[in-house]
Amino acid sequence: MRRSRSADGTGAPTARRRRPGPTPLRLARWSARGSTCGAHPARVGGASPPPAPVTGQTGGVSDEAFSGTGPGVRFTAADEEKRRGVRRMKTIATGLLAFATLVFALATWAKSAGAGAWAGYVAAAAEAGMVGALADWFAVTALFRRPFGLPIPHTAIIPTKKDAFGRSLGDFVGDNFLAGQVVRSRLAALGIGRRLGEWLAAPGGAERVTKEASAALRGVLAVLRDDDVQAVVGEAVTRRAAATSVAEPAGRMLAKVVADGGHHGMVDLVAVRAHGWLTANHEEVVQRVSQKTPGWTPKFIDHQVGERVYKELMRFVTDIRDHPDHPARGAIDGFLADFATELQTDPETIARVERAKVELLARPEVQDLIASTWAAVRTLVLNAAEDEESELRRRIRTGVRDFGVRLATDRKLQAKVDGWLQDAAQYLVDTYRAEITSLISETVAGWDADDASRKIEANVGRDLQFIRINGTVVGALAGLLIHTVAVALGG
């Protein structure tokens, strides 16, 4: 950003483009300068004061940075500690350069004062050390910023090439880490199926899975609204039942029952219940029959008729109850067999049954019954999920443990599970590789260039300062060697 003195003479910068908001590191520096510069601290060059510091920082550094458009660079207390380490190494490297400069000055003075040949060797070594230190300082500095702020080509590489680095990093990750064969090979080497089986078979594994599954089930049931679920269940059951023909399946089932004699038990039950009812309601039957006789007949005749009808009914029901080969039973068998055939072949009978089914499903009582099943099922499942000794949880534990034992010992099953995982992982990386790599490149593109440069420098700058130190030492040794060879050749 270019600066020019403003009209008010304060020296505030005139920005040609709006820079992103202040980062935590800038806020920390502003806060430090504010302690010595008054209530309105300014950066060198007369920058306007920043907003109030962000709260919730750890060690003076917030976990989140601010960015103009995208997600900010994260600065943590660990990054600030690394920055302090970088500053210490810079001090050492710069001090070594200053030491080489001082030695060069003293050796040059001693040489001019006739101190002897040794002064030339020392001066040559110090001079070469200075050159090496300056060259490596320029190289290291050019990675992160422009040396002395000069627009030297191919400097400030990280800030100016940040977006290109992000794209390259995304492509590198996609080509080398998210390749389908790479993922499959890595998963195959891990042996996830065998490890999973051993963990499930070990004490506590199945219990942990059961506990987490029960918690997840309770969470799902707690989120679901009963009214919505009941409506969905009712609609699904009604639609399914309405779309399914019941006449023909019912006819086939009835034919099978009649052929196997499965209805005989029902006939026996009806005969027994009818005999018992007649026995318990003798007077009521006689009275009802008597009321149906003509009004001109004497009452004692009406009573006799009622008694006669009652006795015949008792005899008939008793014979049916006591004689399996009674003709009435055969008539019932024939009726049921004919009805079963009509349910399968007679269009009129089939249509009547289907209409009765639709009318039955439309009744409010049936709809309420279907909807109420959800409440019963929900209560049952919740109680079973919360009770560690419930049959549901015991069965889940047993099933998980048995599966774990089998998975830990069965190589074919292990290979099958590993194959499923590899196929799933390969599908994910093949399908979403572009989205994953774009996440890297877009995230880097959203970073503030200066913040990204400082973040990278905080993590690798300490090692880069060793390059400056090594350049000083190696340069001094090379200068000494060159001077020695030159003196030897000259002599």
Side-chain angles (χ1 to χ4, degrees):
M1 182 172 71
R2 298 179 61 184
R3 299 177 183 274
S4 63
R5 186 165 299 277
S6 61
D8 59 3
T10 59
T14 301
R16 294 187 178 273
R17 63 181 178 87
R18 184 175 181 179
R19 297 179 63 83
T23 64
L25 290 177
R26 291 174 182 165
L27 292 174
R29 289 197 296 272
W30 280 328
S31 299
R33 290 166 182 162
S35 62
T36 59
C37 298
H40 298 286
R43 292 190 297 176
V44 176
S48 58
V54 177
T55 60
Q57 297 180 357
T58 302
V61 182
S62 172
D63 284 343
E64 295 292 340
F66 297 91
S67 178
T69 57
V73 180
R74 291 174 57 88
F75 287 96
T76 64
D79 291 326
E80 184 61 23
E81 180 63 28
K82 292 177 181 178
R83 284 177 60 82
R84 286 194 289 269
V86 171
R87 286 193 291 269
R88 286 193 295 268
M89 292 304 301
K90 283 184 177 181
T91 301
I92 295 174
T94 304
L96 191 58
L97 171 60
F99 176 74
T101 303
L102 177 62
V103 170
F104 173 74
L106 294 176
T108 301
W109 174 79
K111 180 179 178 182
S112 62
W118 63 268
Y121 288 93
V122 174
E127 181 180 10
M130 291 166 54
V131 173
L134 289 172
D136 288 338
W137 167 83
F138 182 88
V140 171
T141 302
L143 289 174
F144 304 103
R145 60 190 62 85
R146 298 190 184 280
F148 302 113
L150 300 175
I152 303 173
H154 305 294
T155 57
I157 295 175
I158 292 178
T160 57
K161 300 292 185 179
K162 170 180 65 68
D163 294 349
F165 290 157
R167 290 190 296 270
S168 299
L169 178 61
D171 294 339
F172 177 79
V173 172
D175 294 338
N176 296 277
F177 294 93
L178 297 180
Q181 190 57 43
V182 173
V183 174
R184 294 186 71 93
S185 300
R186 182 57 180 167
L187 290 177
L190 292 177
I192 296 178
R194 176 183 56 80
R195 295 185 179 186
L196 176 61
E198 293 175 350
W199 182 77
L200 293 176
E207 288 75 7
R208 177 67 180 274
V209 172
T210 303
K211 180 179 179 181
E212 297 299 332
S214 300
L217 181 59
R218 291 196 302 270
V220 171
L221 294 178
V223 171
L224 294 176
R225 294 178 55 186
D226 289 345
D227 293 342
D228 295 339
V229 176
Q230 288 174 357
V232 171
V233 171
E235 182 182 359
V237 172
T238 302
R239 187 189 306 115
R240 179 66 177 174
T244 303
S245 176
V246 299
E248 295 182 17
R252 290 192 297 268
M253 182 180 67
L254 181 59
K256 178 66 175 176
V257 170
V258 172
D260 295 340
H263 65 294
H264 291 162
M266 182 62 68
V267 175
D268 293 339
L269 177 61
V270 172
V272 171
R273 295 299 298 271
H275 184 275
W277 186 86
L278 288 173
T279 302
N281 296 274
H282 178 197
E283 293 299 331
E284 182 178 354
V285 173
V286 172
Q287 183 180 359
R288 288 183 177 274
V289 174
S290 298
Q291 291 175 353
K292 299 298 182 179
T293 58
W296 49 268
T297 57
K299 291 198 176 291
F300 74 93
I301 297 296
D302 295 342
H303 184 74
Q304 290 296 325
V305 172
E307 287 287 347
R308 182 64 179 174
V309 171
Y310 175 77
K311 289 180 181 179
E312 288 298 326
L313 286 174
M314 284 292 294
R315 183 182 64 79
F316 180 73
V317 172
T318 303
D319 289 344
I320 294 177
R321 185 195 65 180
D322 297 338
H323 299 87
D325 55 350
H326 192 278
R329 288 178 175 264
I332 294 174
D333 293 347
F335 168 77
L336 293 177
D338 292 342
F339 184 59
T341 301
E342 292 176 356
L343 286 174
Q344 300 178 68
T345 59
D346 184 28
E348 183 177 355
T349 302
I350 294 174
R352 291 174 62 186
V353 171
E354 294 300 325
R355 285 196 300 270
K357 177 195 70 177
V358 174
E359 293 174 357
L360 180 64
L361 290 174
R363 292 187 63 85
E365 298 86 350
V366 177
Q367 291 297 315
D368 292 341
L369 177 62
I370 294 174
S372 64
T373 56
W374 164 248
V377 171
R378 181 179 183 276
T379 302
L380 179 64
V381 173
L382 277 176
N383 293 337
E386 292 176 356
D387 184 6
E388 294 185 0
E389 300 302 324
S390 65
E391 185 65 22
L392 174 64
R393 295 188 64 163
R394 284 201 299 268
R395 287 183 177 273
I396 293 177
R397 283 195 297 269
T398 302
V400 170
R401 188 178 297 109
D402 292 343
F403 175 75
V405 172
R406 182 184 174 193
L407 184 59
T409 56
D410 190 339
R411 294 187 177 276
K412 291 184 178 180
L413 183 59
Q414 293 174 10
K416 184 178 294 186
V417 172
D418 290 341
W420 290 340
L421 294 174
Q422 293 169 22
D423 292 340
Q426 182 170 359
Y427 172 80
L428 290 175
V429 298
D430 290 344
T431 305
Y432 300 104
R433 181 188 295 114
E435 285 77 1
I436 297 173
T437 56
S438 65
L439 174 65
I440 298 174
S441 59
E442 291 174 3
T443 300
V444 174
W447 288 349
D448 176 77
D450 294 336
D451 292 340
S453 179
R454 278 188 288 272
K455 176 77 170 182
I456 297 173
E457 185 178 13
N459 284 272
V460 302
R462 191 172 185 272
D463 293 328
L464 293 178
Q465 298 308 312
F466 276 108
I467 295 178
R468 293 179 56 190
I469 295 173
N470 293 335
T472 305
V473 175
V474 172
L477 295 176
L480 178 61
L481 177 62
I482 293 171
H483 181 77
T484 302
V485 172
V487 170
L489 295 177

